[in-house]
Structures are given as C-alpha cells and as structure tokens.
Amino acid sequence: MQWQATYKQPPLSIVSLVDAPKEPSIYLSPDQKCVILLEQPPLPSIADLSDPELKLGGLRFNPLFTSFRSSFYCGMALKYLPDSDTSLNGEEPILNDPAKPVSGLPKPCRIISTIWSPCSRFVAFTNFDENGVHLYIMVRDQLKVYGPVETAGLPLNNILHSTIIWSGEYSLIVKVATHAQEKEPQPPKVPIGPIIEESHGIRKPARTYQDMLKTPHDRDLFIHYCTSTLCWVKLNISNQNDEITFSSSELIVNKTSMSGIISEIRCSPDFSHLLVHFIHEPFSSQVPYSRFPLTVVSYRIGENANCQLVKVICDLPVADSIPTAHDACRPGRRIVSWVLNENSSLYVVEALDEGNPKKVSNFRDRIFLLHSSDNFEQEHEITKTELRYSEILFLEGSGKRCLIRERWWSSKIEILNHL
C-alpha cells in the first residue's frame, strides 16, 4: 500500500518555541546617528529548502544567481540613537524612542545584504525573489524604499558576494549576471572522450574538498553562472519633491564592458579608483574557486561610467600546492586592499617564505604600500613580520601608523606590533 502523506504540525507550544522572534541585526550609520534594524525570520520553510542547487568549484548556489540557502532578513526599521541631534520630525530623540517602520519593502521581503551610503542618507540592499536578486534603495529621511532599481536589464549576481558597493554619495557599482538571459550550457549527449588528469610527476600536498569541477560541462556551467558585468547606478534627486529616479549603464574600459568572473570589488576611500579581483582560467579540479588563478587590477574611475586601466597589481597562478600545515598560505601578493584613512593607497601582503611554514626564513611576510600618485608603481615597505601576518589596523594620520597582528599556530604565539 502506498499513499501521499502530508506534513503535520506539532503542538502549538512547540511551534511557538521554534518560531519565537529572534533579536534583530543592527547596522550603524556612518554618521553614528541612527541604526537600521533587520528582522530575522524563523527557520527556513520547506519551499526554501527545496530550491534547486548547483555545486561547482567549491560553491553551492541557486540557479537564480545567489548563494544557496543564504541567510536573509524579512523586515527593516530605522531607529535614531539617544544622543542623536536629529530625528524624523526634527525633535530630540529619547531613550525609548520606538523604531520607525520602513514603507515600500519588497514582497516577499528576503533581504540578503545591506550597505549604508557614505553620507548616511541612503541604504542600498539586495532582495531575492522568484526572478532573482535585485537592488533597492531606502531613503532615511523619507523612511521609504525605492525599487527594484533597473540594472542594465539584468538581475544581480550574488554567487561570489561583493555584489554592491557605493562609488560616491549618489552612485553605486553593482555586479549583474552577464548570462542571465541565456540558457545554461547543456551537457553533450555523447561524451567526446575520456577525462584525463595528469600529475606531471610532482608530489604536492592535497586536501579533500567538496563540489569540485569534474568535467568540461562543469567548467561551462561555472563560467555561465559566475561571470558578472559591472554596472554603474546613479541616484537622481528631484529638487521639487525629493523624488528619486535612477539611471544605470555598464562600466566601460577601452570601449568594452568590464566583465569576467569577478570575486571582489572595492572603491578607494576618495572614490577615485576601483580595485577588481578577476578569477580566470585555467581552473583546477583539485581545489575550490578561491585558489583558482587570480588577477587584481586597479582602475581610475572617470565620468559617465568610463574607467581607465591603471595597473595590474598581481596575477597569481592556481594555488594547488599550498602545504597542508597550519600557517601555510598562498605565495605571492595574497592580500591587496585599500588603506581606509588615505585617499587612494593600497596595502599589500606578500609571503617571503613562499607560503611554506616549514621553510627556514627570518621573516614570513612583508607589508608595503602602493600609492595612486605614481600609478601604484613604487613599493613603500611598512614592515616585515617574523610570524605569519594576521591583520592590520591603520591609525588616524599617516598611513604608516598602524597596528599589525602576527601569529604562529604551532607555538600558539600571537604578537601585536605598533608601528
């Protein structure tokens, strides 16, 4: 005997316990006058868990160009802080001033990520629905949401995250899914031949990873879903009624769109330069996408969505031979990022021991600066670390005043240096 059963509900006491409201997540505005409160939903539904899933390159994602089962928020409110000198009605906020609801939220509301604008007037956020991931803008003074914002006619690509960034007080740069309107590649009906793997007779350390690229069709799917195009979105504010309209266009470099498998985008603090991380072939079937070949490129941001190539900061080969020992790392310039208290300077971390902790070396890493004034050509060394670099915090004033944390796992040593 066989029949179709249905899911049953447990007693109400169990339901109320499992579905009890969670504490909201809090995001402070840059001017430190208010916070947005993001409501967290209860456990995911069966419909959420039954969404299709692709497993490629160490990633698990939804074919609608977002991470599979990524956490999301189901509501948004704004609350002014007690010491703030402004409030929505021009009155001094009080300690128990309730959070103010935001109108115009998308339905269904499944907010993935949020980011305040530098002027604290807007909150950009991404929302996921049955048509993909889209951009919305919340205006703080109006407590109103605008969107979905048109992004070159394509949904956003949230598979590799780093999806939206502010490129000024009234503009953003977003990643859109280049192939969203195309059908996904289909596997060949008849295999074209055997799949061959070569070791080249070289002994390499190996870890076990899940969801690797195994076939040429996996490679085609990875390129199809992970390829993004950078799009520039501008906010246009009417002086008469404070209504906001949006315009968007693709970022252009040498008359072509800026596209590729983009894992990270970052604007310089003065919004004059853009740093883009490109993953490129040849891919590997042994390691996840984070160890695929990587090129980091700096661009100068011009007007009307035009950019100019400044310098290729680094071009790293596939990292499939990193030792399995703790304190091992990728050889070469493995970290490239902006110095937050300078206009457009980069700090770079590079291994001096080829990333191998077993190799005898007086210094493990070096940290240096690259400045936009000389197109990031001249290296200005900050220091060398005797242990493995962990993190850096630049202090107010000169970019060379900083705190650097270094550590060594095998001896459980951790050092904080003030330079």
Side-chain angles (χ1 to χ4, degrees):
M1 181 181 295
Q2 182 179 10
W3 68 93
Q4 176 64 58
T6 58
Y7 291 107
K8 307 296 183 182
Q9 286 285 350
L12 184 59
S13 57
I14 301 298
V15 173
S16 59
L17 177 64
V18 174
D19 290 344
K22 299 180 181 178
E23 290 296 323
S25 294
I26 298 175
Y27 291 89
L28 178 67
S29 63
D31 63 6
Q32 301 182 3
K33 293 182 178 180
C34 61
V35 295
I36 53 172
L37 306 177
L38 297 177
E39 180 184 347
Q40 300 188 63
L43 296 177
S45 66
I46 295 175
D48 293 331
L49 298 177
S50 62
D51 281 345
E53 177 186 28
L54 291 175
K55 304 176 182 180
L56 298 168
L59 292 165
R60 297 188 179 191
F61 56 89
N62 189 301
L64 292 176
F65 299 94
T66 187
S67 296
F68 185 71
R69 299 180 187 172
S70 58
S71 59
F72 60 89
Y73 304 100
C74 59
M76 178 185 294
L78 186 137
K79 182 178 178 65
Y80 283 87
L81 300 180
D83 58 349
S84 172
D85 57 1
T86 59
S87 68
L88 191 62
N89 300 319
E91 301 175 353
E92 288 289 333
I94 57 178
L95 185 63
N96 59 352
D97 188 27
K100 298 172 173 38
V102 174
S103 65
L105 287 171
K107 295 181 180 180
C109 185
R110 303 176 72 184
I111 299 172
I112 299 175
S113 62
T114 61
I115 180 170
W116 278 98
S117 67
C119 61
S120 299
R121 293 184 59 187
F122 313 102
V123 175
F125 66 90
T126 57
N127 191 79
F128 174 61
D129 58 28
E130 60 184 7
N131 297 314
V133 182
H134 300 280
L135 173 67
Y136 292 80
I137 304 293
M138 190 275 285
V139 183
R140 168 175 149 179
D141 294 337
Q142 302 177 15
L143 290 176
K144 180 180 178 181
V145 172
Y146 290 81
V149 178
E150 177 70 18
T151 52
L154 296 170
L156 303 184
N157 194 332
N158 190 57
I159 293 176
L160 297 180
H161 304 292
S162 190
T163 309
I164 57 174
I165 60 169
W166 287 94
S167 58
E169 292 188 354
Y170 302 98
S171 62
L172 301 101
I173 295 176
V174 303
K175 286 168 35 179
V176 298
T178 307
H179 303 302
Q181 296 179 347
E182 305 172 13
K183 293 184 178 180
E184 72 172 33
Q186 297 299 311
K189 294 182 179 179
V190 179
I192 60 175
I195 297 174
I196 300 174
E197 293 186 11
E198 292 183 279
S199 66
H200 299 286
I202 301 174
R203 296 183 62 185
K204 296 181 179 180
R207 291 184 181 272
T208 302
Y209 298 99
Q210 292 181 318
D211 311 325
M212 299 295 97
L213 301 181
K214 300 175 183 178
T215 65
H217 180 242
D218 286 349
R219 168 198 168 275
D220 295 340
L221 287 175
F222 182 81
I223 294 174
H224 173 84
Y225 283 105
C226 294
T227 298
S228 301
T229 299
L230 294 188
C231 181
W232 184 66
V233 178
K234 184 179 180 182
L235 282 66
N236 307 300
I237 304 177
S238 171
N239 294 326
Q240 297 180 352
N241 53 14
D242 290 335
E243 283 294 310
I244 298 178
T245 58
F246 304 92
S247 57
S248 64
S249 59
E250 295 181 356
L251 282 184
I252 302 298
V253 180
N254 297 329
K255 299 182 179 180
T256 60
S257 301
M258 194 184 301
S259 299
I261 302 177
I262 300 172
S263 61
E264 188 174 339
I265 51 175
R266 292 180 181 269
C267 264
S268 61
D270 64 355
F271 305 115
S272 63
H273 290 76
L274 178 67
L275 194 69
V276 185
H277 292 60
F278 293 98
I279 293 172
H280 61 83
E281 297 189 86
F283 304 140
S284 171
S285 61
Q286 305 298 320
V287 293
Y289 80 97
S290 57
R291 295 191 177 189
F292 288 174
L294 178 70
T295 301
V296 181
V297 187
S298 62
Y299 298 91
R300 185 174 291 108
I301 302 176
E303 297 181 355
N304 301 322
N306 288 306
C307 293
Q308 177 186 356
L309 173 65
V310 177
K311 183 177 176 60
V312 176
I313 305 300
C314 63
D315 189 6
L316 304 178
V318 61
D320 58 356
S321 58
I322 297 178
T324 57
H326 292 283
D327 299 314
C329 66
R330 189 171 194 159
R333 297 180 173 184
R334 71 180 185 275
I335 299 176
V336 181
S337 191
W338 296 108
V339 179
L340 296 182
N341 62 347
E342 292 197 358
N343 288 335
S344 52
S345 296
L346 294 169
Y347 74 89
V348 182
V349 181
E350 182 178 28
L352 297 176
D353 58 0
E354 300 178 354
N356 186 354
K358 295 184 179 180
K359 184 176 181 178
V360 178
S361 178
N362 292 329
F363 297 99
R364 295 295 174 179
D365 291 311
R366 72 183 185 113
I367 303 102
F368 58 90
L369 298 178
L370 299 173
H371 299 297
S372 61
S373 57
D374 60 2
N375 293 329
F376 308 107
E377 294 288 346
Q378 189 67 34
E379 298 179 1
H380 304 270
E381 186 171 291
I382 298 177
T383 189
K384 296 177 181 177
T385 63
E386 297 181 1
L387 308 180
R388 185 66 71 208
Y389 165 88
S390 179
E391 63 177 325
I392 188 169
L393 174 64
F394 289 95
L395 307 178
E396 292 296 329
S398 170
K400 289 189 177 181
R401 293 185 60 233
C402 57
L403 296 173
I404 296 179
R405 188 188 304 275
E406 51 185 290
R407 47 97 178 122
W408 201 249
W409 188 90
S410 60
S411 57
K412 304 297 187 291
I413 296 176
E414 190 168 301
I415 300 174
L416 184 64
N417 294 318
H418 179 219
L419 301 177

